Amino acid sequence: MKKMKLAAIFAGLVSVFTFSSCLNDGDSGPNYDLYEIVTVEDGSIFGGPVLKGDAWGYTYTPVASSVLAGLKASDGSYYKRVQVGIKLMEGEAITEKKSYKVSEVGLIAILNYKDFNVQADTLKNEYALVSLEDSNNKIWAINGYVNVPFTFKTKEQLNMNDFHLYAVEAKEDTLVTRLRQTKGADDAYQTGGALISFHMPFNDMEFRDIFDQVVPKSDTIVVKVTAKGENDKELVSTVKCSASNMRGSY
């Protein structure tokens, strides 16, 4: 079967992980049928763990639970957001259907992921970011996650807990959000790049009160990410996504 490559929007993704990432070079070999960034659904809705793909919206169901053993953390739980290589079950072929059975999954990278921050008034500091994209990626939103690549300045090692995304307001079909760097220095000059998958917390009433005011157009909404930029510049990046897909199983 002809091998499929990850969509162009994810090209070079691993290169932007500068904190909290884990690579497994041994599982990125040539025998996979396709490469995906996926959300691991733990099975509470689907009856067993499955992978929900970002690039094409496919669902991947393992032929046995052992297929996903490499996606487990030390506490036995599954990582939620990962980049993987996937081998389809013998006889499966990519067609127009949206669900596929898989016989092998190899971990390539663990994405940085966390919930939206739901208490914006507790974030006292805000440092200027360099950009809301990098040379390979722009923001995308799917499966309940808003994925934000960004470039920042720092004098010290930072981690994803120094960056927060929260909902600001709803404007017609647009959910306005704010990305905030809360640890840094005004005279920092070193730059770094990162990508964080921010999970929409639909179980939080404050977030839902804002999200429910967004009015989809044919099930499509716009997620707008804003941030403080250098020299008093406002950084803005937007992406369209499916409203029902973002709510998913929540």
Side-chain angles (χ1 to χ4, degrees), residues 15-51:
S15 67
V16 304
F17 294 157
T18 58
F19 50 71
S20 301
S21 64
C22 177
L23 304 181
N24 187 339
D25 293 332
D27 284 334
S28 58
N31 294 324
Y32 294 117
D33 295 314
L34 51 91
Y35 298 88
E36 268 270 37
I37 293 171
V38 299
T39 300
V40 182
E41 298 280 4
D42 63 9
S44 58
I45 298 298
F46 298 97
V50 298
L51 308 180

PDB file of all heavy atoms in Angstrom, residues 15-51:
ATOM      1  N   SER A  15      10.432  19.471  15.714  1.00  0.00           N
ATOM      2  CA  SER A  15      11.478  20.476  15.868  1.00  0.00           C
ATOM      3  C   SER A  15      11.066  21.627  16.774  1.00  0.00           C
ATOM      4  O   SER A  15      11.922  22.370  17.252  1.00  0.00           O
ATOM      5  CB  SER A  15      11.875  21.039  14.495  1.00  0.00           C
ATOM      6  OG  SER A  15      10.797  21.781  13.934  1.00  0.00           O
ATOM      7  N   VAL A  16       9.785  21.796  17.034  1.00  0.00           N
ATOM      8  CA  VAL A  16       9.378  22.923  17.869  1.00  0.00           C
ATOM      9  C   VAL A  16       9.196  22.526  19.325  1.00  0.00           C
ATOM     10  O   VAL A  16       8.858  23.353  20.147  1.00  0.00           O
ATOM     11  CB  VAL A  16       8.061  23.575  17.369  1.00  0.00           C
ATOM     12  CG1 VAL A  16       8.200  24.006  15.933  1.00  0.00           C
ATOM     13  CG2 VAL A  16       6.873  22.647  17.546  1.00  0.00           C
ATOM     14  N   PHE A  17       9.457  21.278  19.672  1.00  0.00           N
ATOM     15  CA  PHE A  17       9.334  20.867  21.072  1.00  0.00           C
ATOM     16  C   PHE A  17      10.599  21.259  21.821  1.00  0.00           C
ATOM     17  O   PHE A  17      11.621  20.610  21.702  1.00  0.00           O
ATOM     18  CB  PHE A  17       9.143  19.362  21.200  1.00  0.00           C
ATOM     19  CG  PHE A  17       7.854  18.852  20.636  1.00  0.00           C
ATOM     20  CD1 PHE A  17       7.732  17.540  20.258  1.00  0.00           C
ATOM     21  CD2 PHE A  17       6.765  19.677  20.482  1.00  0.00           C
ATOM     22  CE1 PHE A  17       6.550  17.054  19.739  1.00  0.00           C
ATOM     23  CE2 PHE A  17       5.581  19.202  19.967  1.00  0.00           C
ATOM     24  CZ  PHE A  17       5.478  17.895  19.590  1.00  0.00           C
ATOM     25  N   THR A  18      10.541  22.300  22.627  1.00  0.00           N
ATOM     26  CA  THR A  18      11.721  22.685  23.388  1.00  0.00           C
ATOM     27  C   THR A  18      11.545  22.421  24.867  1.00  0.00           C
ATOM     28  O   THR A  18      12.450  22.634  25.636  1.00  0.00           O
ATOM     29  CB  THR A  18      12.041  24.168  23.186  1.00  0.00           C
ATOM     30  OG1 THR A  18      10.904  24.954  23.573  1.00  0.00           O
ATOM     31  CG2 THR A  18      12.377  24.460  21.748  1.00  0.00           C
ATOM     32  N   PHE A  19      10.357  21.960  25.285  1.00  0.00           N
ATOM     33  CA  PHE A  19      10.203  21.537  26.674  1.00  0.00           C
ATOM     34  C   PHE A  19       9.160  20.436  26.781  1.00  0.00           C
ATOM     35  O   PHE A  19       8.255  20.342  25.979  1.00  0.00           O
ATOM     36  CB  PHE A  19       9.838  22.704  27.606  1.00  0.00           C
ATOM     37  CG  PHE A  19       8.693  23.563  27.158  1.00  0.00           C
ATOM     38  CD1 PHE A  19       7.380  23.107  27.167  1.00  0.00           C
ATOM     39  CD2 PHE A  19       8.919  24.865  26.731  1.00  0.00           C
ATOM     40  CE1 PHE A  19       6.326  23.917  26.780  1.00  0.00           C
ATOM     41  CE2 PHE A  19       7.864  25.677  26.331  1.00  0.00           C
ATOM     42  CZ  PHE A  19       6.573  25.201  26.352  1.00  0.00           C
ATOM     43  N   SER A  20       9.345  19.571  27.751  1.00  0.00           N
ATOM     44  CA  SER A  20       8.390  18.518  28.114  1.00  0.00           C
ATOM     45  C   SER A  20       8.039  17.588  26.961  1.00  0.00           C
ATOM     46  O   SER A  20       6.921  17.111  26.875  1.00  0.00           O
ATOM     47  CB  SER A  20       7.107  19.144  28.682  1.00  0.00           C
ATOM     48  OG  SER A  20       7.406  19.917  29.805  1.00  0.00           O
ATOM     49  N   SER A  21       8.960  17.334  26.068  1.00  0.00           N
ATOM     50  CA  SER A  21       8.673  16.386  24.991  1.00  0.00           C
ATOM     51  C   SER A  21       9.519  15.140  25.166  1.00  0.00           C
ATOM     52  O   SER A  21      10.562  15.162  25.799  1.00  0.00           O
ATOM     53  CB  SER A  21       8.957  17.012  23.624  1.00  0.00           C
ATOM     54  OG  SER A  21      10.324  17.310  23.494  1.00  0.00           O
ATOM     55  N   CYS A  22       9.052  14.045  24.591  1.00  0.00           N
ATOM     56  CA  CYS A  22       9.762  12.772  24.728  1.00  0.00           C
ATOM     57  C   CYS A  22       9.772  12.099  23.371  1.00  0.00           C
ATOM     58  O   CYS A  22       8.715  11.832  22.811  1.00  0.00           O
ATOM     59  CB  CYS A  22       9.064  11.886  25.751  1.00  0.00           C
ATOM     60  SG  CYS A  22       9.803  10.241  25.943  1.00  0.00           S
ATOM     61  N   LEU A  23      10.927  11.853  22.828  1.00  0.00           N
ATOM     62  CA  LEU A  23      11.041  11.274  21.503  1.00  0.00           C
ATOM     63  C   LEU A  23      11.472   9.817  21.591  1.00  0.00           C
ATOM     64  O   LEU A  23      12.239   9.435  22.456  1.00  0.00           O
ATOM     65  CB  LEU A  23      12.072  12.052  20.668  1.00  0.00           C
ATOM     66  CG  LEU A  23      11.817  13.554  20.527  1.00  0.00           C
ATOM     67  CD1 LEU A  23      12.897  14.166  19.649  1.00  0.00           C
ATOM     68  CD2 LEU A  23      10.447  13.810  19.935  1.00  0.00           C
ATOM     69  N   ASN A  24      10.987   9.023  20.658  1.00  0.00           N
ATOM     70  CA  ASN A  24      11.378   7.625  20.564  1.00  0.00           C
ATOM     71  C   ASN A  24      11.832   7.379  19.140  1.00  0.00           C
ATOM     72  O   ASN A  24      11.036   7.069  18.274  1.00  0.00           O
ATOM     73  CB  ASN A  24      10.201   6.719  20.918  1.00  0.00           C
ATOM     74  CG  ASN A  24      10.620   5.258  20.997  1.00  0.00           C
ATOM     75  OD1 ASN A  24      11.636   4.869  20.436  1.00  0.00           O
ATOM     76  ND2 ASN A  24       9.833   4.459  21.691  1.00  0.00           N
ATOM     77  N   ASP A  25      13.126   7.547  18.903  1.00  0.00           N
ATOM     78  CA  ASP A  25      13.643   7.450  17.541  1.00  0.00           C
ATOM     79  C   ASP A  25      13.487   6.042  16.969  1.00  0.00           C
ATOM     80  O   ASP A  25      13.420   5.859  15.761  1.00  0.00           O
ATOM     81  CB  ASP A  25      15.124   7.842  17.510  1.00  0.00           C
ATOM     82  CG  ASP A  25      15.321   9.310  17.835  1.00  0.00           C
ATOM     83  OD1 ASP A  25      14.394  10.087  17.560  1.00  0.00           O
ATOM     84  OD2 ASP A  25      16.392   9.670  18.367  1.00  0.00           O
ATOM     85  N   GLY A  26      13.373   5.053  17.841  1.00  0.00           N
ATOM     86  CA  GLY A  26      13.297   3.688  17.355  1.00  0.00           C
ATOM     87  C   GLY A  26      11.979   3.335  16.709  1.00  0.00           C
ATOM     88  O   GLY A  26      11.877   2.345  16.010  1.00  0.00           O
ATOM     89  N   ASP A  27      10.927   4.124  16.926  1.00  0.00           N
ATOM     90  CA  ASP A  27       9.606   3.773  16.418  1.00  0.00           C
ATOM     91  C   ASP A  27       9.182   4.596  15.215  1.00  0.00           C
ATOM     92  O   ASP A  27       8.016   4.672  14.894  1.00  0.00           O
ATOM     93  CB  ASP A  27       8.564   3.934  17.537  1.00  0.00           C
ATOM     94  CG  ASP A  27       8.628   2.785  18.528  1.00  0.00           C
ATOM     95  OD1 ASP A  27       9.062   1.709  18.124  1.00  0.00           O
ATOM     96  OD2 ASP A  27       8.239   2.986  19.692  1.00  0.00           O
ATOM     97  N   SER A  28      10.131   5.253  14.579  1.00  0.00           N
ATOM     98  CA  SER A  28       9.772   6.091  13.440  1.00  0.00           C
ATOM     99  C   SER A  28      10.244   5.449  12.130  1.00  0.00           C
ATOM    100  O   SER A  28      10.565   6.131  11.181  1.00  0.00           O
ATOM    101  CB  SER A  28      10.382   7.488  13.601  1.00  0.00           C
ATOM    102  OG  SER A  28      11.786   7.397  13.721  1.00  0.00           O
ATOM    103  N   GLY A  29      10.328   4.122  12.129  1.00  0.00           N
ATOM    104  CA  GLY A  29      10.861   3.390  10.985  1.00  0.00           C
ATOM    105  C   GLY A  29       9.949   3.428   9.781  1.00  0.00           C
ATOM    106  O   GLY A  29       8.860   3.970   9.801  1.00  0.00           O
ATOM    107  N   PRO A  30      10.389   2.798   8.688  1.00  0.00           N
ATOM    108  CA  PRO A  30       9.707   2.921   7.388  1.00  0.00           C
ATOM    109  C   PRO A  30       8.506   1.997   7.204  1.00  0.00           C
ATOM    110  O   PRO A  30       7.899   2.006   6.153  1.00  0.00           O
ATOM    111  CB  PRO A  30      10.819   2.549   6.412  1.00  0.00           C
ATOM    112  CG  PRO A  30      11.661   1.562   7.168  1.00  0.00           C
ATOM    113  CD  PRO A  30      11.637   2.032   8.596  1.00  0.00           C
ATOM    114  N   ASN A  31       8.180   1.158   8.190  1.00  0.00           N
ATOM    115  CA  ASN A  31       7.140   0.160   7.980  1.00  0.00           C
ATOM    116  C   ASN A  31       5.733   0.641   8.297  1.00  0.00           C
ATOM    117  O   ASN A  31       4.784  -0.137   8.203  1.00  0.00           O
ATOM    118  CB  ASN A  31       7.445  -1.094   8.818  1.00  0.00           C
ATOM    119  CG  ASN A  31       8.701  -1.805   8.350  1.00  0.00           C
ATOM    120  OD1 ASN A  31       8.973  -1.846   7.152  1.00  0.00           O
ATOM    121  ND2 ASN A  31       9.466  -2.326   9.283  1.00  0.00           N
ATOM    122  N   TYR A  32       5.572   1.886   8.712  1.00  0.00           N
ATOM    123  CA  TYR A  32       4.242   2.393   9.027  1.00  0.00           C
ATOM    124  C   TYR A  32       3.520   2.825   7.760  1.00  0.00           C
ATOM    125  O   TYR A  32       4.125   3.288   6.796  1.00  0.00           O
ATOM    126  CB  TYR A  32       4.342   3.556  10.015  1.00  0.00           C
ATOM    127  CG  TYR A  32       4.864   3.122  11.371  1.00  0.00           C
ATOM    128  CD1 TYR A  32       6.058   3.624  11.860  1.00  0.00           C
ATOM    129  CD2 TYR A  32       4.174   2.190  12.140  1.00  0.00           C
ATOM    130  CE1 TYR A  32       6.550   3.208  13.082  1.00  0.00           C
ATOM    131  CE2 TYR A  32       4.661   1.770  13.367  1.00  0.00           C
ATOM    132  CZ  TYR A  32       5.852   2.286  13.841  1.00  0.00           C
ATOM    133  OH  TYR A  32       6.333   1.855  15.045  1.00  0.00           O
ATOM    134  N   ASP A  33       2.197   2.677   7.781  1.00  0.00           N
ATOM    135  CA  ASP A  33       1.391   3.063   6.636  1.00  0.00           C
ATOM    136  C   ASP A  33       1.111   4.559   6.621  1.00  0.00           C
ATOM    137  O   ASP A  33       0.902   5.142   5.554  1.00  0.00           O
ATOM    138  CB  ASP A  33       0.063   2.303   6.652  1.00  0.00           C
ATOM    139  CG  ASP A  33       0.274   0.801   6.474  1.00  0.00           C
ATOM    140  OD1 ASP A  33       1.055   0.425   5.579  1.00  0.00           O
ATOM    141  OD2 ASP A  33      -0.322   0.019   7.235  1.00  0.00           O
ATOM    142  N   LEU A  34       1.072   5.176   7.788  1.00  0.00           N
ATOM    143  CA  LEU A  34       0.858   6.617   7.863  1.00  0.00           C
ATOM    144  C   LEU A  34       1.329   7.138   9.198  1.00  0.00           C
ATOM    145  O   LEU A  34       1.592   6.375  10.137  1.00  0.00           O
ATOM    146  CB  LEU A  34      -0.619   6.963   7.639  1.00  0.00           C
ATOM    147  CG  LEU A  34      -1.677   6.233   8.474  1.00  0.00           C
ATOM    148  CD1 LEU A  34      -1.973   7.007   9.738  1.00  0.00           C
ATOM    149  CD2 LEU A  34      -2.930   6.045   7.647  1.00  0.00           C
ATOM    150  N   TYR A  35       1.475   8.437   9.260  1.00  0.00           N
ATOM    151  CA  TYR A  35       1.934   9.127  10.461  1.00  0.00           C
ATOM    152  C   TYR A  35       0.887  10.151  10.847  1.00  0.00           C
ATOM    153  O   TYR A  35       0.390  10.888   9.994  1.00  0.00           O
ATOM    154  CB  TYR A  35       3.291   9.800  10.205  1.00  0.00           C
ATOM    155  CG  TYR A  35       4.375   8.808   9.864  1.00  0.00           C
ATOM    156  CD1 TYR A  35       4.582   8.420   8.544  1.00  0.00           C
ATOM    157  CD2 TYR A  35       5.165   8.242  10.853  1.00  0.00           C
ATOM    158  CE1 TYR A  35       5.550   7.491   8.217  1.00  0.00           C
ATOM    159  CE2 TYR A  35       6.148   7.320  10.543  1.00  0.00           C
ATOM    160  CZ  TYR A  35       6.344   6.941   9.219  1.00  0.00           C
ATOM    161  OH  TYR A  35       7.307   6.018   8.898  1.00  0.00           O
ATOM    162  N   GLU A  36       0.561  10.221  12.119  1.00  0.00           N
ATOM    163  CA  GLU A  36      -0.538  11.080  12.577  1.00  0.00           C
ATOM    164  C   GLU A  36      -0.210  11.712  13.922  1.00  0.00           C
ATOM    165  O   GLU A  36       0.563  11.165  14.716  1.00  0.00           O
ATOM    166  CB  GLU A  36      -1.813  10.246  12.756  1.00  0.00           C
ATOM    167  CG  GLU A  36      -2.714  10.205  11.536  1.00  0.00           C
ATOM    168  CD  GLU A  36      -3.739  11.313  11.518  1.00  0.00           C
ATOM    169  OE1 GLU A  36      -3.407  12.440  11.938  1.00  0.00           O
ATOM    170  OE2 GLU A  36      -4.864  11.058  11.075  1.00  0.00           O
ATOM    171  N   ILE A  37      -0.842  12.835  14.161  1.00  0.00           N
ATOM    172  CA  ILE A  37      -0.979  13.380  15.506  1.00  0.00           C
ATOM    173  C   ILE A  37      -2.374  12.980  15.958  1.00  0.00           C
ATOM    174  O   ILE A  37      -3.352  13.203  15.242  1.00  0.00           O
ATOM    175  CB  ILE A  37      -0.818  14.902  15.517  1.00  0.00           C
ATOM    176  CG1 ILE A  37       0.619  15.273  15.163  1.00  0.00           C
ATOM    177  CG2 ILE A  37      -1.180  15.481  16.884  1.00  0.00           C
ATOM    178  CD1 ILE A  37       0.816  16.747  14.929  1.00  0.00           C
ATOM    179  N   VAL A  38      -2.464  12.376  17.135  1.00  0.00           N
ATOM    180  CA  VAL A  38      -3.740  11.815  17.566  1.00  0.00           C
ATOM    181  C   VAL A  38      -4.059  12.188  19.011  1.00  0.00           C
ATOM    182  O   VAL A  38      -3.171  12.500  19.805  1.00  0.00           O
ATOM    183  CB  VAL A  38      -3.749  10.267  17.438  1.00  0.00           C
ATOM    184  CG1 VAL A  38      -3.533   9.843  16.000  1.00  0.00           C
ATOM    185  CG2 VAL A  38      -2.708   9.633  18.355  1.00  0.00           C
ATOM    186  N   THR A  39      -5.366  12.141  19.306  1.00  0.00           N
ATOM    187  CA  THR A  39      -5.852  12.194  20.676  1.00  0.00           C
ATOM    188  C   THR A  39      -6.221  10.780  21.085  1.00  0.00           C
ATOM    189  O   THR A  39      -6.903  10.068  20.343  1.00  0.00           O
ATOM    190  CB  THR A  39      -7.094  13.096  20.783  1.00  0.00           C
ATOM    191  OG1 THR A  39      -6.751  14.420  20.371  1.00  0.00           O
ATOM    192  CG2 THR A  39      -7.603  13.140  22.215  1.00  0.00           C
ATOM    193  N   VAL A  40      -5.766  10.358  22.241  1.00  0.00           N
ATOM    194  CA  VAL A  40      -6.093   9.027  22.745  1.00  0.00           C
ATOM    195  C   VAL A  40      -7.375   9.135  23.572  1.00  0.00           C
ATOM    196  O   VAL A  40      -7.403   9.779  24.613  1.00  0.00           O
ATOM    197  CB  VAL A  40      -4.960   8.446  23.604  1.00  0.00           C
ATOM    198  CG1 VAL A  40      -5.310   7.033  24.065  1.00  0.00           C
ATOM    199  CG2 VAL A  40      -3.650   8.437  22.827  1.00  0.00           C
ATOM    200  N   GLU A  41      -8.444   8.537  23.070  1.00  0.00           N
ATOM    201  CA  GLU A  41      -9.710   8.456  23.810  1.00  0.00           C
ATOM    202  C   GLU A  41      -9.662   7.200  24.665  1.00  0.00           C
ATOM    203  O   GLU A  41      -9.397   6.114  24.162  1.00  0.00           O
ATOM    204  CB  GLU A  41     -10.894   8.395  22.843  1.00  0.00           C
ATOM    205  CG  GLU A  41     -11.037   9.619  21.954  1.00  0.00           C
ATOM    206  CD  GLU A  41     -11.699  10.785  22.672  1.00  0.00           C
ATOM    207  OE1 GLU A  41     -11.970  10.661  23.888  1.00  0.00           O
ATOM    208  OE2 GLU A  41     -11.941  11.814  22.027  1.00  0.00           O
ATOM    209  N   ASP A  42      -9.936   7.338  25.952  1.00  0.00           N
ATOM    210  CA  ASP A  42      -9.695   6.237  26.880  1.00  0.00           C
ATOM    211  C   ASP A  42     -10.728   5.124  26.841  1.00  0.00           C
ATOM    212  O   ASP A  42     -10.584   4.118  27.543  1.00  0.00           O
ATOM    213  CB  ASP A  42      -9.570   6.756  28.309  1.00  0.00           C
ATOM    214  CG  ASP A  42     -10.848   7.409  28.819  1.00  0.00           C
ATOM    215  OD1 ASP A  42     -11.880   7.313  28.127  1.00  0.00           O
ATOM    216  OD2 ASP A  42     -10.820   8.015  29.900  1.00  0.00           O
ATOM    217  N   GLY A  43     -11.787   5.276  26.064  1.00  0.00           N
ATOM    218  CA  GLY A  43     -12.728   4.184  25.905  1.00  0.00           C
ATOM    219  C   GLY A  43     -14.031   4.351  26.644  1.00  0.00           C
ATOM    220  O   GLY A  43     -14.924   3.513  26.534  1.00  0.00           O
ATOM    221  N   SER A  44     -14.187   5.433  27.411  1.00  0.00           N
ATOM    222  CA  SER A  44     -15.424   5.621  28.167  1.00  0.00           C
ATOM    223  C   SER A  44     -16.628   5.782  27.248  1.00  0.00           C
ATOM    224  O   SER A  44     -17.751   5.474  27.630  1.00  0.00           O
ATOM    225  CB  SER A  44     -15.297   6.849  29.074  1.00  0.00           C
ATOM    226  OG  SER A  44     -15.010   8.019  28.317  1.00  0.00           O
ATOM    227  N   ILE A  45     -16.409   6.244  26.030  1.00  0.00           N
ATOM    228  CA  ILE A  45     -17.502   6.414  25.074  1.00  0.00           C
ATOM    229  C   ILE A  45     -17.486   5.303  24.024  1.00  0.00           C
ATOM    230  O   ILE A  45     -18.515   4.770  23.635  1.00  0.00           O
ATOM    231  CB  ILE A  45     -17.390   7.787  24.369  1.00  0.00           C
ATOM    232  CG1 ILE A  45     -17.521   8.916  25.411  1.00  0.00           C
ATOM    233  CG2 ILE A  45     -18.471   7.929  23.296  1.00  0.00           C
ATOM    234  CD1 ILE A  45     -18.854   8.945  26.128  1.00  0.00           C
ATOM    235  N   PHE A  46     -16.313   4.909  23.597  1.00  0.00           N
ATOM    236  CA  PHE A  46     -16.194   4.020  22.451  1.00  0.00           C
ATOM    237  C   PHE A  46     -16.103   2.545  22.825  1.00  0.00           C
ATOM    238  O   PHE A  46     -16.061   1.689  21.957  1.00  0.00           O
ATOM    239  CB  PHE A  46     -14.967   4.420  21.618  1.00  0.00           C
ATOM    240  CG  PHE A  46     -15.056   5.810  21.066  1.00  0.00           C
ATOM    241  CD1 PHE A  46     -14.451   6.873  21.722  1.00  0.00           C
ATOM    242  CD2 PHE A  46     -15.747   6.056  19.898  1.00  0.00           C
ATOM    243  CE1 PHE A  46     -14.539   8.157  21.217  1.00  0.00           C
ATOM    244  CE2 PHE A  46     -15.832   7.333  19.385  1.00  0.00           C
ATOM    245  CZ  PHE A  46     -15.238   8.384  20.043  1.00  0.00           C
ATOM    246  N   GLY A  47     -16.057   2.207  24.108  1.00  0.00           N
ATOM    247  CA  GLY A  47     -15.990   0.825  24.521  1.00  0.00           C
ATOM    248  C   GLY A  47     -14.582   0.288  24.651  1.00  0.00           C
ATOM    249  O   GLY A  47     -14.371  -0.810  25.152  1.00  0.00           O
ATOM    250  N   GLY A  48     -13.608   1.008  24.225  1.00  0.00           N
ATOM    251  CA  GLY A  48     -12.201   0.639  24.307  1.00  0.00           C
ATOM    252  C   GLY A  48     -11.383   1.807  23.809  1.00  0.00           C
ATOM    253  O   GLY A  48     -11.903   2.663  23.088  1.00  0.00           O
ATOM    254  N   PRO A  49     -10.092   1.871  24.153  1.00  0.00           N
ATOM    255  CA  PRO A  49      -9.280   3.008  23.715  1.00  0.00           C
ATOM    256  C   PRO A  49      -9.147   3.072  22.196  1.00  0.00           C
ATOM    257  O   PRO A  49      -8.942   2.048  21.545  1.00  0.00           O
ATOM    258  CB  PRO A  49      -7.926   2.764  24.386  1.00  0.00           C
ATOM    259  CG  PRO A  49      -7.899   1.290  24.653  1.00  0.00           C
ATOM    260  CD  PRO A  49      -9.319   0.896  24.941  1.00  0.00           C
ATOM    261  N   VAL A  50      -9.294   4.259  21.643  1.00  0.00           N
ATOM    262  CA  VAL A  50      -9.124   4.486  20.214  1.00  0.00           C
ATOM    263  C   VAL A  50      -8.298   5.750  20.023  1.00  0.00           C
ATOM    264  O   VAL A  50      -8.101   6.538  20.950  1.00  0.00           O
ATOM    265  CB  VAL A  50     -10.474   4.640  19.476  1.00  0.00           C
ATOM    266  CG1 VAL A  50     -11.303   3.376  19.599  1.00  0.00           C
ATOM    267  CG2 VAL A  50     -11.238   5.847  19.991  1.00  0.00           C
ATOM    268  N   LEU A  51      -7.816   5.932  18.811  1.00  0.00           N
ATOM    269  CA  LEU A  51      -7.049   7.125  18.455  1.00  0.00           C
ATOM    270  C   LEU A  51      -7.881   7.975  17.500  1.00  0.00           C
ATOM    271  O   LEU A  51      -8.400   7.471  16.513  1.00  0.00           O
ATOM    272  CB  LEU A  51      -5.729   6.734  17.788  1.00  0.00           C
ATOM    273  CG  LEU A  51      -4.849   5.730  18.536  1.00  0.00           C
ATOM    274  CD1 LEU A  51      -3.580   5.446  17.741  1.00  0.00           C
ATOM    275  CD2 LEU A  51      -4.510   6.236  19.930  1.00  0.00           C
TER     276      LEU A  51
END
